Amino acid sequence: MTGFGRKLAKGAAALGVVGWALAAPPQAQAAPPDIVIGAVYPLSGNAAPIGHDAQVALQAMTDIINGHMDMPMLMGQGGGLSNLGGARIKLIFADSQNNPQIARTEAERLITQDHVVAVIGSYTSFTAVTISQICNRYEIPYISAENSSPTLSKQGLAWFFRPSPTDIDFSGAMFAFFAGIGKQTGRPVHSVAIIHENSVFGTDSSRIQTGLADQAGIKVLANISYQSSTPSLSVEAERLKAADADVVLPTSYTSDAILLVHAMHDAGYTPKAILAQDAGFIDQAFLTASGPLADNIMSRSSFALDAGKSRPAIAKVNAYFKPLDNGKDLNDMTSREMTAMQVLADAINRAGSTDHLKLQAALKATDIPGNQTIMPWVGIKFDATGQNTEGNPVIQQYQHGEWHTIFPFDVASAPAVWNVGK
Amino acid sequence: MSAAIIIQVAIGGLLMGLVYALVAAGLSLIFGLMDVVNFAHGELLMLAMYATLVLHQAIGLDPLVQLPLVAALLFGVGVAIYRGLIARALGIRFNTGMAQIFVTFGLSIFLVGTAQLVFGSDFRAITDGVLSNRTLALGKIVLPLSQVAAGLVCLLAFAALVLISRTEFGRALEATREDRDAVALIGIDRDKVFSIGWGIGAATVGIAGVMLANFYYISPTVGANFALIAYVTVALGGFGSLLGALVAGVLVGLVEAMTALVMDPSLKQVGIFAIYVLVLMFRPRGLFGRL
């Protein structure tokens, strides 16, 4: 093209743009800016399956809040955040690699570079320690979705909020179940064997369970700790077999949970009952990899898929979530992740602003009735440490390929298969 | 503590130790041959486990039947890694040592990422193999058949490696190990020896992967669980020594199991590393090393 030709073409293009601008109708009022929320999860490494499920769950809840799906729960009507002109939530994920140092760096990057208004995380309690501390330093709320270590609430952090129950509540429910099932069947629990991974999650869990067993007059015949992602748990299984307690209480992440049930089987040991501290034992990958070895395993849970009667949103939310997560039903992790996003969205909406102090005040004033969530909890109200005081756990059992609520008895959907004392 | 538990734990440690030994043998062979530490060794194990899973799911082949197939596949992978990456890294004239480290380290990250992309990050397991979840009870001793088979296959693989070392190629391998420059003068194709050495090293870890897939979970990061132990085993046994890898593997398995039995299992690696430190202090070339 000649120099004159190029000038002609540029001129025509400029005229075209001006003409289009003049012809365009006056623009509607600009959409409010997106509310950016950070999420730190293990998206690679040994805990990546859980991280990916969390990614789907948080995005699904964001879709519900931003969209128009009309779910029967708080923020379920959609249309964005009404008090911020219908602003939409935008999620930014960061990969912690399940490493506390990387989790801290990634959380800091989200805060300083992406300017997130809050951070949600993080599956493992040891990554939550560093994330919650860095959030506290920058005065950005950290919503702990499913970290269950009670130590996290005792750090004295003003920006830490946890809707989920802790292992104190969970373990309390386990021992209440032992008392209840003992009365109901006449076959009480006399002894337990504890096995746990040795990070803050496992050690906290073991400490609480030992204390509760002591109070209940139940003997702790073994208390075994191991390092997560160990190549073998066969000796640990032998020690459990030698203890032969009424109930085995494992606190394990997915890979170790798979190894443990196989190791117990290979040692020729079938515990009378296994009551797990959630985590790896409720992961679909564990259930698939363990096959029949997972039958009748019990776990504490803060979610009950079969509580649809009192929580009408469960069925609709699950119907939306399940195809997104490769056919996996909502579970104890993914339900709590969705709830964490719901709690945060509600607080931002009530604050009517993304100002961190207003958001902190709104979070502190959170008061959500249980029936406005998908959780079987009484509700969500935070105490001075940021811990929900109205989250009550349930005990579930994996029977015939499905999780059934077996305790508290008044909300149970199936009787417990109870082999203790037989 | 009853005698039955001690015997059971010792057998478990021995069987696991044989697997450690075979994983370490491949690493030791490659290092002994050309002084290259393969940081992607654990990932080759992972690759073999996924290959076993895919073949099992796609055409229903039991892992035991797949042994020669996966071993051949990994042999090809080993040769390809040498030809495509290592030979080029060896050709770099500046900072060769670092280039070799980074090329295998980078390969390990690449393989983990690719596995996560292709297979997802979920944990998988073969639950319907001929040996899956089968046990043999001998009085109070219970033997998991999948692990017994793994131990036997590992011993057979070691026997095969010894046989290979006695062939003409084995002698060429040994000669190349002794003096990689001199062998060219007597008509040995050094490049060919190196690539076959890599092939055999990868096939060895491939066999361990197939047997592990019978009783262990499969995930993109599974190799890391075994890689560290493999490095310790090789250093303990002596770099380049097959017998060293076998003895050290079994020793590591037994010490790990016994430590977990008498101490807190979270400290079970203390026993392994204590022996490792002692060997380093008093016999730095390893138990059977000739360096």
Side-chain angles (χ1 to χ4, degrees):
Chain A
M1 194 183 281
T2 63
F4 174 74
R6 269 199 297 273
K7 280 179 188 166
L8 195 66
K10 278 183 186 170
L15 277 175
V17 169
V18 171
W20 172 82
L22 288 174
Q27 272 206 322
Q29 197 180 351
D34 288 343
I35 309 291
V36 187
I37 292 170
V40 185
Y41 276 91
L43 302 177
S44 61
N46 239 11
I50 301 274
H52 283 119
D53 287 347
Q55 208 171 6
V56 175
L58 290 170
Q59 192 56 56
M61 194 64 195
T62 306
D63 293 348
I64 290 170
I65 294 163
N66 290 342
H68 296 279
M69 296 182 210
D70 202 20
M71 301 287 183
M73 62 181 182
L74 183 70
M75 307 304 294
Q77 66 281 7
L81 304 178
S82 54
N83 294 346
L84 283 103
R88 295 162 60 84
I89 289 175
K90 183 184 167 193
L91 270 171
I92 299 182
F93 288 94
D95 181 10
S96 70
Q97 298 175 35
N98 209 20
N99 175 321
Q101 281 73 40
I102 296 172
R104 179 189 187 282
T105 313
E106 287 297 294
E108 190 164 19
R109 184 179 62 77
L110 287 173
I111 295 166
T112 56
Q113 292 180 26
D114 295 306
H115 305 292
V116 297
V117 301
V119 175
I120 296 181
S122 64
Y123 180 45
T124 46
S125 293
F126 57 85
T127 52
V129 172
T130 53
I131 301 172
S132 58
Q133 287 172 358
I134 200 73
C135 285
N136 205 65
R137 185 188 296 174
Y138 284 95
E139 301 192 337
I140 291 289
Y142 171 62
I143 313 297
S144 161
E146 66 299 79
N147 317 122
S148 60
S149 167
T151 305
L152 293 170
S153 310
K154 293 175 185 163
Q155 299 179 98
L157 306 179
W159 298 83
F160 177 87
F161 297 92
R162 172 160 52 186
S164 164
T166 70
D167 286 338
I168 293 178
D169 312 304
F170 287 130
S171 299
M174 290 179 181
F175 283 81
F177 167 67
F178 292 157
I181 196 84
K183 269 187 201 161
Q184 194 187 61
T185 61
R187 286 177 277 126
V189 175
H190 295 294
S191 60
V192 292
I194 297 168
I195 177 161
H196 63 93
E197 59 86 45
N198 66 351
S199 80
V200 64
F201 171 49
T203 46
D204 264 6
S205 166
S206 151
R207 187 173 43 79
I208 296 157
Q209 288 176 341
T210 309
L212 288 169
D214 206 32
Q215 284 172 22
I218 294 172
K219 280 185 192 163
V220 179
L221 297 182
N223 191 345
I224 302 166
S225 73
Y226 65 86
Q227 196 161 5
S228 191
S229 296
T230 176
S232 165
L233 283 171
S234 52
V235 183
E236 290 81 345
E238 285 297 334
R239 289 176 67 160
L240 289 174
K241 183 184 175 185
D244 195 25
D246 286 342
V247 184
V248 172
L249 299 174
T251 304
S252 303
Y253 293 120
T254 310
S255 56
D256 306 326
I258 295 171
L259 271 192
L260 183 63
V261 293
H262 280 91
M264 288 194 293
H265 173 269
D266 288 348
Y269 175 47
T270 309
K272 296 178 208 75
I274 298 174
L275 177 49
Q277 191 75 276
D278 199 69
F281 286 87
I282 61 114
D283 185 356
Q284 188 57 44
F286 161 77
L287 299 170
T288 309
S290 304
L293 300 180
D295 284 349
N296 296 333
I297 281 181
M298 294 174 279
S299 175
R300 57 80 168 169
S301 177
S302 50
F303 176 67
L305 189 62
D306 50 8
K309 267 188 190 172
S310 59
R311 300 290 181 268
I314 291 177
K316 282 189 85 173
V317 172
N318 192 47
Y320 177 64
F321 170 83
K322 195 172 175 176
L324 299 176
D325 201 20
N326 296 325
K328 294 180 192 171
D329 281 312
L330 275 170
N331 65 21
D332 190 34
M333 296 290 166
T334 45
S335 61
R336 282 188 285 170
E337 284 141 8
M338 292 188 91
T339 305
M341 174 54 81
Q342 181 191 24
V343 167
L344 179 59
D346 166 60
I348 299 171
N349 196 40
R350 279 186 290 104
S353 156
T354 54
D355 175 76
H356 68 147
L357 291 173
K358 285 182 182 165
L359 180 53
Q360 184 195 37
L363 277 164
K364 283 182 175 174
T366 295
D367 186 2
I368 304 174
N371 63 10
Q372 285 299 309
T373 70
I374 54 173
M375 309 309 284
W377 304 339
V378 172
I380 302 169
K381 264 186 193 175
F382 295 115
D383 65 13
T385 67
Q387 177 58 45
N388 180 18
T389 55
E390 297 190 338
N392 49 309
V394 297
I395 304 293
Q396 297 200 304
Q397 190 169 39
Y398 194 66
Q399 301 173 354
H400 313 296
E402 280 182 354
W403 287 104
H404 292 281
T405 305
I406 54 168
F407 184 80
F409 297 127
D410 55 336
V411 295
S413 64
V417 175
W418 187 245
N419 295 324
V420 172
K422 272 191 176 171
Chain B
M1 197 181 298
S2 72
I5 290 181
I6 296 172
I7 294 169
Q8 175 90 51
V9 167
I11 292 173
L14 176 74
L15 295 177
M16 208 60 194
L18 286 169
V19 176
Y20 292 160
L22 192 60
V23 175
L27 190 67
S28 183
L29 195 133
I30 292 168
F31 182 87
L33 187 62
M34 49 200 296
D35 284 351
V36 170
V37 178
N38 177 16
F39 285 100
H41 200 65
E43 281 60 49
L44 292 179
L45 182 81
M46 174 269 290
L47 212 58
M49 291 173 85
Y50 270 114
T52 311
L53 178 77
V54 168
L55 283 171
H56 180 68
Q57 288 180 340
I59 47 176
L61 273 186
D62 192 80
L64 283 179
V65 186
Q66 292 183 32
L67 265 174
L69 275 179
V70 177
L73 176 74
L74 264 287
F75 181 90
V77 171
V79 171
I81 290 173
Y82 174 75
R83 298 257 178 213
L85 295 172
I86 308 298
R88 288 163 202 265
L90 286 175
I92 295 172
R93 291 189 183 173
F94 176 70
N95 221 346
T96 317
M98 292 306 276
Q100 287 165 12
I101 288 173
F102 285 127
V103 79
T104 57
F105 195 70
L107 178 67
S108 103
I109 295 172
F110 172 77
L111 289 176
V112 170
T114 308
Q116 189 161 333
L117 184 72
V118 175
F119 302 108
S121 50
D122 270 345
F123 296 92
R124 317 276 191 94
I126 295 173
T127 52
D128 56 350
V130 172
L131 297 174
S132 298
N133 295 336
R134 286 183 189 270
T135 53
L136 175 68
L138 301 171
K140 283 187 175 178
I141 309 295
V142 182
L143 298 176
L145 288 184
S146 53
Q147 291 187 45
V148 172
L152 289 176
V153 167
C154 289
L155 278 178
L156 286 175
F158 266 99
L161 286 174
V162 171
L163 283 179
I164 289 172
S165 71
R166 291 184 181 171
T167 61
E168 195 173 334
F169 171 74
R171 284 194 289 275
L173 207 72
E174 183 64 21
T176 313
R177 203 165 81 86
E178 293 284 329
D179 192 333
R180 65 172 73 174
D181 296 319
V183 290
L185 300 174
I186 54 168
I188 293 176
D189 182 347
R190 189 178 69 179
D191 214 36
K192 192 176 167 191
V193 171
F194 279 165
S195 62
I196 294 178
W198 265 84
I200 295 174
T204 308
V205 76
I207 292 170
V210 174
M211 298 316 292
L212 264 178
N214 267 311
F215 63 92
Y216 209 82
Y217 62 81
I218 304 164
S219 78
T221 52
V222 69
N225 296 2
F226 292 88
L228 181 67
I229 289 184
Y231 298 129
V232 172
T233 306
V234 170
L236 195 60
F239 285 95
S241 166
L242 273 182
L243 180 64
L246 179 61
V247 172
V250 171
L251 191 65
V252 164
L254 284 172
V255 167
E256 183 185 48
M258 287 303 167
T259 315
L261 187 63
V262 297
M263 289 169 68
D264 187 337
S266 62
L267 300 173
K268 66 183 167 189
Q269 292 202 335
V270 167
I272 301 173
F273 287 104
I275 289 191
Y276 176 61
V277 168
L278 284 176
V279 169
L280 279 188
M281 282 169 68
F282 298 107
R283 199 177 162 82
R285 62 178 187 267
L287 293 173
F288 295 86
R290 283 180 292 168
L291 293 172

